[in-house]
Amino acid sequence: MGGLFFLFMTFASFSTVIAVFENLLAGCIDNFGWSRKKAALFNGVFLLLASMPCVLGYNLWYFEAVLPNGAVGQVLDIEDFLVSNLLLPLGSLAYLLFCVTKWGWGFDKYLAEANAGRGVKMPRALKPYFQFVLPILILVILIQGLMR
């Protein structure tokens, strides 16, 4: 049973990796006009190089560094800190501001897209919450993540 579990987990991970890689390919094909072969080659090489710190972080490239929160960590700890405490909150803030400000998509277009189709509709009354409360909450999360 244990062997079957890990076999099925392998298939599940392959399907996830293919789905994520397909998004990268579609982005390169749509945005740069590349062929599928060129996009696959470029992204394959990029992912191979970008994964090297993770692959070699506990052997050939092992080192310890002090993180901004004062903790001592290795390569994976640094990557985790950067993604969890910087990239995710900043990406959320950028997406939120894009959706609700006139310099981005705008709340009316966002609301029309969010309310397309069937199901529960988002009320227009949430606009002040999206424009003022959520950005402050995300900034608080960002600051707390940097101070922990």
Side-chain angles (χ1 to χ4, degrees), residues 41-111:
L41 183 64
F42 175 81
N43 283 297
V45 170
F46 174 75
L47 288 177
L48 179 72
L49 294 175
S51 65
M52 282 299 116
C54 181
V55 171
L56 301 174
Y58 285 110
N59 46 49
L60 294 176
W61 292 357
Y62 180 83
F63 66 92
E64 292 184 353
V66 178
L67 300 173
N69 61 6
V72 175
Q74 295 83 26
V75 171
L76 290 178
D77 297 321
I78 296 168
E79 290 178 356
D80 177 55
F81 179 83
L82 291 174
V83 170
S84 299
N85 297 325
L86 286 176
L87 295 180
L88 289 175
L90 288 175
S92 299
L93 185 61
Y95 181 70
L96 175 67
L97 293 176
F98 176 79
C99 287
V100 299
T101 63
K102 64 181 178 182
W103 299 287
W105 202 11
F107 189 76
D108 293 332
K109 290 180 184 176
Y110 167 75
L111 194 61

